[in-house]
Amino acid sequence: MADNTPRSPASDTPFSSDGYAGDPAVRAEWDKRYADRRQLWSGRPNGALVAEVASLAPGRVLDVGCGEGADAVWLARHGWDVTALEVSGVALERAAGHARDAGLTVRWVHGALAEAALPSASFDLVSAQYPALLRTPDAAAERALLAAVAPGGVLLLVHHAGMDTPQADNSEFDPADYVWPSMVAALLDDDWKVEVDEQRPRTAPDGGAGAHHTDDVVLRARRLR
């Protein structure tokens, strides 16, 4: 059985498949995307995250699909107790290196959210930025996202506007295969209060994949109980 315990930062690199919780094909797909480039993203935190977190008191945060760690490092630098989850071991090696270079502590988890066995209802903020969470037929991924948020905590889900329908470029990667904010919003009940549900111009960092997208869809919801 895989060890799904959240990992400590740099000492656990390299991240081997022995500790991975999830679909090996998904891990291989993302490992290839990261391995094909020395740096896939801009290296700066996502603008929607920075804007939405500004008014929140630091607590425990889960960064879903942390990639190369820019959001996780920014959150840790601003006083958050960070657990960062990612299916790609290549990305996690880079992320852990960035945190180590910054002298920051982040718990790294190598796996998919639905399989990672993280403690439920224990995070003051759960953030999933852009194509971070692969859709599942039974909405297990979406429900795992909601289940991770503690009472009183905030869920923040951000995606590129206009990418909720299949793309026609014949590429292997299709953002429409990933959880869209409206899918999560449809699962919210009276235990939740929607604080933001809108499309807005994106504050886009220079460089990195996705830099050409101009608008975000942002869902921010607070768990009441």
Side-chain angles (χ1 to χ4, degrees), residues 23 32 52 79 98 141 159 177 190:
D23 184 345
K32 182 179 185 303
E52 294 300 324
H98 295 321
H159 211 314
D177 293 336
D190 291 342

Side-chain angles (χ1 to χ4, degrees), residues 9-10 43 69-70 72-78 94-106 108:
V73 168
W74 183 88
L75 287 160
R77 183 175 285 123
H78 286 79
R94 296 176 185 175
H98 295 321
R100 181 177 60 247
D101 291 345
L104 299 168
T105 298
V106 176
W108 306 105

